[in-house]
């Protein structure tokens, strides 16, 4: 029986109920009483350097005040007037369970300690810096440029990005900004193939084009890496609806407000229109709207697959929402159908994702099916004929159960079916470009809808109980985006930090800025949970500057991965020590994984563990490369890191391929054992038949002689592997 743990209840919303919440808070406060005697804990809440007696008194005062606020809570008279501390704790528990409650309570304690040091002048200065109502004023140079914003809106596979990129190809200078490194790579290759010198700029890779002036004419980048100080003729920002994203929306808002482009082309869903109109009005830019219709029809099927994997057909993509489910379903489909399955999921390196996409798109191989997470929703051109939802629920994260898929996610993923163009088509076009001197004007237009072949996209579910929900979602309109995400730039955060004592935990500085910031209704502050986690992870490294901490909080750190967390801490130590960043000296990197032979990995759990270890190593190497562009004097093994990263990608690809080979060998062995058992039974029955054309000859067998001959028969049968397999 599973052991019940406080804070891990069946329903996340239950954690907000008083009968669960109050005991959890009291238990945490009791823990603080014991920890207040430890110097490490006192340092973590900003009391390092204080006399031990004074430090404990402050910590104890907070605990007493918190316990006092909890007294009587839940009685009828206080139900409608909760203490100010309690409501944030309730929301943190609902969102992230016991872990979220612990983080929030610790932040309350850090704030209580920090308030001892504040003067009235400090409070006023903090409030002034935290006025974030007008982020357009953060980019004064851009406000001096008269821009025209072209908003291209339409469903998936409507040609909106295609038209924007054609305009980019016609310009002398330009920028493409996309949500994924894969997309940045694709546009980088396409622009160079069309004769435009283009540089690639992503967080962990920079390839600068060489020109006579020293400046590239084109830049293809991820949206977080947009060069805001570059004067260009045309800029294209893809998937503009992500400016409403809770975590990454700030990057799209920054691009819209800060890009110095005379023509700014924004591509995305219709639901982004209201907020883009507001942003254009606020900046004084001209807005031109281009609407598009889907180029190929999309239809929800009448029925589900009724749980029958035999009903899958070539070109199907089964969408799942967890990596364990993905690997299990891949194996099950291969066992059931005998066909190979490509896989795409978020933690798979982009290079391997692109390779898996090519395998699936190639009609001349036996990769008939694709199993993917919602990472398939954007960034890859795939020849998917039918989307099959394995589930309509996704994990909420941190053990907090599952939530229904939003309408916009179902529509985005469904739209991948029946693509008008695939990556294979784009590769063919790129080859044509490379073989010609010029691109004709006619290539800037897509064929009219009437001339487009009816490449019908289909959508259904694996289980009947999910079908109606998907059908209704596809017929519904997603809610419009009414606010854009922002985060204060590093300059504001650095200035804000100057109003705090040097020992104040940086995570509390982040939280304090969020708590007291003033916002315009058209904006919202993006979630900084990951940044807080990173700040706490490296807090004990005292030699880091505020700017160092800001840089690390922006880094691609997977906090759910213990190996990546260990690597991040080690890298931060290197920055603090201003050395020791040579790749082969970093013990946190498990480079021995590259020597493991896939043939020696056992099926099942061992394989999944090995894959997870390789993916963790890849993430750690990506983080190393990301940091090498920001701390080049510390992380000096950039070229070696690129090489090891490629080796890791090859190992992941080998593991995916090798696992199929193992499964195939297992099926062959199982088939041989079945045939051998049947053969033995025939012989033990006293006779067996030799078949020669139409004649059957029965041969009597002596039982005593037969028992001694059985091992020889086993060896003979199993050694004839090709024949047994062919049979």
């Amino acid at each position: 029986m599973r052991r019940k743990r406080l804070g891990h209840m069946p329903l996340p919303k239950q954690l907000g109920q008083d009968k669960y919440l109050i005991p959890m808070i009291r238990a945490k406060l009791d823990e603080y009483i014991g920890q207040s005697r430890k110097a490490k804990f006192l340092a973590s809440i900003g009391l390092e350097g204080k006399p031990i007696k004074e430090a404990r008194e402050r910590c104890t005062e907070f605990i007493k005040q918190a316990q006092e606020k909890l007294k009587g809570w839940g009685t009828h008279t206080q139900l409608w007037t909760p203490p100010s501390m309690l409501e944030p704790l309730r929301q943190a528990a609902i969102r992230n369970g016991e872990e979220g409650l612990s983080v929030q309570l610790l932040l309350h304690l850090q704030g209580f300690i920090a308030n001892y040091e504040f003067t009235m002048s400090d409070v006023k200065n903090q409030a002034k810096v935290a006025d974030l109502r007008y982020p357009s004023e953060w980019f004064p140079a851009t406000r001096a440029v008269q821009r025209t914003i072209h908003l291209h809106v339409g469903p998936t596979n409507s040609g909106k990005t295609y038209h924007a990129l054609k305009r980019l190809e016609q310009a002398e200078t330009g920028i493409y900004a996309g949500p994924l490194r894969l997309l940045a790579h694709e546009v980088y290759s396409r622009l160079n193939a069309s004769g435009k010198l283009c540089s690639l700029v992503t967080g962990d890779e920079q390839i600068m084009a060489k020109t006579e002036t020293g400046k590239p004419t084109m830049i293809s980048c991820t949206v977080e890496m947009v060069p805001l100080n570059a004067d260009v003729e045309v800029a294209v920002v893809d998937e503009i609806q992500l400016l409403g994203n809770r975590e990454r929306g700030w990057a799209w808002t920054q691009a819209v407000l800060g890009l110095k482009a005379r023509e700014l082309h924004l591509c995305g869903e219709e639901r982004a229109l209201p907020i883009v109109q507001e942003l254009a009005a606020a900046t004084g830019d001209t807005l031109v709207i281009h609407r598009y219709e889907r180029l190929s029809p999309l239809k929800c099927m009448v029925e589900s697959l009724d749980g029958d994997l035999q009903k899958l057909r070539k070109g199907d993509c089964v969408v799942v929402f967890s990596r364990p489910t993905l690997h299990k379903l891949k194996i099950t489909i291969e066992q059931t159908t005998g066909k190979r399955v490509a896989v795409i999921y978020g933690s798979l390196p982009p290079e391997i994702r692109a390779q898996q996409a090519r395998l699936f798109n190639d009609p001349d191989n036996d990769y008939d099916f694709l199993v993917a997470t919602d990472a398939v929703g954007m960034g890859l051109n795939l020849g998917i004929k039918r989307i099959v939802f394995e589930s309509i629920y996704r994990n909420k994260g941190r053990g907090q159960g599952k939530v229904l898929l939003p309408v916009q996610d179902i529509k985005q993923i469904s739209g991948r079916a029946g693509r008008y163009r695939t990556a294979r088509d784009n590769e063919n076009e790129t080859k044509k470009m490379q073989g010609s001197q010029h691109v004709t004007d006619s290539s800037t237009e897509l064929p009219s809808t009437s001339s487009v072949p009816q490449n019908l996209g289909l959508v259904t579910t694996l289980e009947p109980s999910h079908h109606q929900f998907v059908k209704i979602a596809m017929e519904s309109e997603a809610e419009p985006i009414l606010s854009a995400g922002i985060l204060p730039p590093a300059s504001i955060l650095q200035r804000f930090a100057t109003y705090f004592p040097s020992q104040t935990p940086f995570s509390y500085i982040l939280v304090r800025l969020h708590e007291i910031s003033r916002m315009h209704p058209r904006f919202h502050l993006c979630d900084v949970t990951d940044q807080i986690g990173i700040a706490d992870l490296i807090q004990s490294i005292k030699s880091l500057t505020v700017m160092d901490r800001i840089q690390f909080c922006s880094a691609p750190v997977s906090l759910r991965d213990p190996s990546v967390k260990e690597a991040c801490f080690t890298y931060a130590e290197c920055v603090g020590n201003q050395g020791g960043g040579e790749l082969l000296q970093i013990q946190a990197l498990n480079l021995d994984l590259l020597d493991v032979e896939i043939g020696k990995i056992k099926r099942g759990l061992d394989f999944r563990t090995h894959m997870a270890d390789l993916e963790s190593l890849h993430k750690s190497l990506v983080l190393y490369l990301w940091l090498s562009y920001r701390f080049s004097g510390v992380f000096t093994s950039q070229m070696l890191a690129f090489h090891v990263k490629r080796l890791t990608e090859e190992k992941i690809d080998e593991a995916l391929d090798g696992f199929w080979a193992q499964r195939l060998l297992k099926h062959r062995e199982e088939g041989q054992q079945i045939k051998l058992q049947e053969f033995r039974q025939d012989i033990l029955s006293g006779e067996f038949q030799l078949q020669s054309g139409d004649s059957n000859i029965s041969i009597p067998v002596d039982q005593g002689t037969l028992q001694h001959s059985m091992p020889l028969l086993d060896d003979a049968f199993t050694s004839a592997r090709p024949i047994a397999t062919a049979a």
Side-chain angles (χ1 to χ4, degrees):
M1 182 179 292
R2 180 181 294 179
R3 180 171 61 92
K4 285 190 176 182
R5 291 180 57 199
L6 189 63
H8 289 266
M9 304 302 173
L11 296 175
K13 289 184 178 180
Q14 289 183 349
L15 297 178
Q17 297 177 10
D18 295 340
K19 63 179 180 179
Y20 299 125
L21 184 65
I22 302 302
M24 283 197 295
I25 297 174
R26 285 181 175 146
K28 290 297 174 185
L29 292 173
D30 290 342
E31 286 181 20
Y32 289 168
I33 294 173
Q35 290 177 327
S36 65
R37 300 181 178 87
K38 299 177 181 178
K40 185 176 180 181
F41 175 74
L42 294 175
S44 73
I45 59 175
L47 287 172
E48 186 178 22
K50 296 287 183 184
I52 295 295
K53 183 178 179 181
E54 181 184 347
R56 288 177 180 171
E57 285 176 354
R58 291 191 185 180
C59 188
T60 303
E61 185 179 347
F62 169 81
I63 294 170
K64 287 181 178 178
Q65 287 189 17
Q67 289 175 334
E68 191 65 31
K69 287 182 179 181
L70 291 177
K71 282 183 180 178
W73 173 255
T75 63
H76 180 72
T77 57
Q78 292 186 335
L79 269 177
W80 309 109
T81 55
S84 59
M85 182 186 75
L86 196 63
E87 199 55 36
L89 292 172
R90 185 193 306 281
Q91 295 305 318
I94 292 173
R95 286 195 306 270
N96 300 317
E98 187 177 356
E99 179 185 350
L101 176 74
S102 299
V103 171
Q104 187 65 38
L105 190 60
L106 185 63
L107 290 172
H108 278 300
L109 174 55
Q110 291 170 346
F112 180 86
I113 300 300
N115 284 339
Y116 264 93
E117 309 293 336
F118 292 157
T119 64
M120 288 302 297
S121 177
D122 288 335
V123 174
K124 289 180 180 179
N125 288 328
Q126 288 177 20
K128 185 176 180 180
V129 176
D131 188 348
L132 309 178
R133 289 175 295 171
Y134 308 108
S136 59
E137 295 177 358
W138 299 344
F139 312 100
T142 305
R143 299 289 72 80
V145 178
Q146 184 59 48
R147 304 187 305 174
T148 300
I149 298 177
H150 293 266
L151 178 61
H152 303 261
V153 293
T156 306
N157 195 22
S158 59
K160 51 188 183 295
T161 305
Y162 179 91
H163 281 89
L165 288 177
K166 284 301 180 182
R167 177 65 189 98
L168 180 61
E169 288 177 0
Q170 295 169 355
E172 291 297 321
T173 57
I175 294 171
Y176 168 81
L180 300 171
R181 192 156 63 91
L182 274 173
L183 282 172
H185 264 280
E186 184 179 327
V187 174
Y188 161 76
S189 301
R190 185 176 181 84
L191 289 173
N192 279 300
S194 66
K196 297 287 185 181
L197 282 176
C198 182
S199 294
L200 176 69
V201 180
T202 68
D204 57 280
E205 185 177 16
Q206 297 181 16
I207 304 173
M208 307 308 293
K210 296 180 180 179
T211 61
E212 294 179 0
T213 61
K215 295 182 179 180
T217 58
M218 296 285 174
I219 299 173
S220 181
C221 60
T222 45
V223 71
E224 286 87 353
M225 297 297 295
V226 163
L228 299 172
N229 58 343
D231 289 291
V232 294
E233 183 182 343
V234 174
V236 176
V237 180
D238 212 353
E239 304 292 353
I240 189 58
Q241 73 277 358
L242 290 178
L243 90 174
N245 186 268
R246 190 167 174 256
E247 287 84 22
R248 296 180 66 197
W250 65 269
W252 275 262
T253 306
Q254 174 183 266
V256 173
L257 298 177
L259 270 167
K260 293 170 65 178
R262 292 186 289 280
E263 283 185 34
L264 178 58
H265 292 256
L266 311 177
C267 308
E269 299 173 13
E270 179 84 26
R271 63 194 181 99
L273 177 57
I275 187 60
V276 172
Q277 286 176 322
E278 282 203 43
L279 293 178
T283 57
D285 296 318
T286 303
L287 178 63
V288 180
I289 301 170
H290 308 268
R291 285 186 167 86
Y292 299 83
E293 298 294 330
R294 185 176 166 89
L295 292 169
S296 58
L298 182 66
K299 179 182 178 182
C300 184
M301 298 182 67
V302 176
E303 296 178 342
S304 71
L305 301 190
D306 202 23
D308 187 358
L309 295 177
Q310 291 283 8
K311 293 182 179 179
L312 290 173
R313 54 198 189 210
K314 187 174 179 64
D316 280 355
C317 171
V318 184
V319 180
V320 301
F321 297 97
S322 73
R323 189 171 63 183
T325 302
L326 179 141
H327 285 304
K328 287 168 63 177
L329 190 59
K330 167 186 164 69
I331 295 167
T332 305
I333 292 174
E334 288 174 342
Q335 289 176 339
T336 304
T337 66
K339 299 292 184 179
R340 301 195 69 171
V341 177
V343 294
I344 292 172
Y345 52 95
S347 57
L348 201 63
E351 294 79 3
I352 304 301
R353 271 187 269 174
Q355 185 180 28
Q356 292 287 306
R358 284 193 294 271
L359 290 172
F360 175 71
N361 285 336
D362 188 350
D364 302 324
N365 64 22
D366 56 350
Y367 282 86
D368 283 10
F369 312 119
L370 175 67
V371 176
T373 63
D374 52 350
V376 78
M378 65 178 68
L380 288 168
N381 264 331
L382 295 160
I384 297 171
K385 297 177 182 177
R386 181 171 64 174
I387 289 286
V388 180
F389 285 93
E390 182 268 341
S391 176
I392 56 172
Y393 299 93
R394 68 150 48 100
N395 291 325
K396 193 177 179 182
R398 295 179 173 90
Q400 291 303 293
K402 298 185 176 183
V403 293
L404 276 170
L405 288 173
V407 169
Q408 61 267 22
D409 288 5
I410 289 179
K411 293 170 78 75
Q412 176 86 13
I413 295 169
S414 298
R416 309 308 287 179
R419 295 287 290 175
Y420 171 63
R421 297 174 64 83
T422 67
R424 191 177 178 89
D425 300 326
N426 289 337
E427 287 175 8
N428 292 336
E429 183 174 318
T430 299
K431 291 176 182 177
K432 291 178 183 178
M433 288 180 179
Q434 292 170 334
S436 63
Q437 295 292 326
H438 303 285
V439 180
T440 61
D441 291 338
S442 61
S443 68
T444 63
E445 296 297 328
L446 281 171
S448 64
T449 307
S450 60
S451 65
V452 174
Q454 293 298 298
N455 189 15
L456 176 64
L458 297 173
V459 181
T460 189
T461 61
L462 186 60
E463 302 297 336
S465 58
H466 299 158
H467 184 269
Q468 188 66 13
F469 181 84
V470 170
K471 182 179 179 181
I472 293 173
M474 289 185 63
E475 296 170 352
S476 305
E477 291 297 328
E479 292 291 324
I481 299 169
L482 301 178
S483 67
I486 62 169
L487 281 179
S491 58
I492 290 179
L493 192 51
Q494 197 169 18
R495 183 182 168 196
F496 188 75
T498 61
Y499 297 110
F500 293 80
S502 58
Q503 70 270 20
T504 304
F506 191 68
S507 59
Y508 175 70
I509 296 174
L510 292 172
V511 172
R512 176 68 176 171
L513 179 57
H514 272 56
E515 284 179 346
I516 69 171
S517 60
R518 297 178 66 190
M519 302 291 297
H520 191 283
R522 74 168 65 99
F523 300 107
H524 65 266
L525 276 172
C526 285
D527 184 68
V528 289
T529 301
D530 286 344
Q531 288 90 327
I532 291 170
I534 297 170
D536 284 336
L537 177 66
I538 63 175
Q539 179 61 38
S540 61
I541 305 173
K542 302 304 178 185
S543 51
L544 294 176
T545 66
V546 170
M547 198 61 213
D548 292 340
R549 296 183 190 278
I550 292 173
Q551 291 276 33
F552 268 89
C553 286
S554 303
V557 181
S558 176
L559 290 173
R560 297 185 187 181
D561 192 320
S563 298
V564 179
K565 286 175 66 176
E566 182 185 358
C568 178
F569 184 82
T570 303
Y571 297 156
E573 285 184 317
C574 293
V575 172
N577 298 331
Q578 286 298 297
E582 293 82 3
L583 189 74
L584 297 181
Q585 293 182 6
I586 297 175
Q587 298 299 315
L589 297 176
N590 185 10
L591 299 180
D592 292 340
L593 283 170
L594 302 178
D595 295 327
V596 176
E597 296 181 16
I598 186 61
K600 295 181 179 179
I601 302 296
K602 295 179 181 179
R603 291 186 286 265
L605 185 61
D606 284 355
F607 168 77
R608 291 195 290 273
T609 301
H610 181 64
M611 280 292 294
D613 290 342
L614 285 172
E615 290 163 6
S616 296
L617 176 60
H618 190 271
K619 292 174 190 174
S620 299
L621 291 167
V622 167
L623 177 58
Y624 182 97
L625 289 167
W626 191 95
L627 291 168
S628 72
Y629 286 107
R630 282 100 182 147
F631 304 97
S632 56
V634 176
F635 303 103
T636 55
S637 307
Q638 189 181 84
M639 296 309 296
L640 177 60
F642 273 118
H643 176 66
V644 177
K645 175 172 164 283
R646 281 192 292 270
L647 292 178
T648 307
E649 290 159 2
E650 289 172 6
K651 278 291 181 180
I652 292 174
D653 184 48
E654 178 188 337
L656 288 172
D657 246 10
F659 189 59
W660 160 263
Q662 284 189 353
R663 299 302 303 181
L664 185 62
L665 180 59
K666 179 185 177 184
H667 292 321
R668 287 178 176 176
E669 291 171 350
E670 287 173 348
Q672 290 165 5
Q673 290 300 319
I674 292 171
K675 292 178 182 296
L676 180 57
Q677 291 300 324
E678 293 174 351
F679 187 52
R680 290 171 62 114
Q681 289 300 321
D682 287 343
I683 294 175
L684 289 171
S685 66
E687 62 176 35
F688 66 92
Q689 293 183 334
L690 292 177
Q691 294 186 358
S692 176
D694 294 330
S695 60
N696 294 329
I697 307 172
S698 297
I699 303 177
V701 180
D702 178 70
Q703 296 293 322
T705 305
L706 183 63
Q707 295 295 339
H708 293 290
S709 304
M710 273 303 167
L712 298 176
L713 287 171
D714 288 353
D715 291 341
F717 195 94
T718 54
S719 66
R721 183 160 294 171
I723 299 175
T725 302

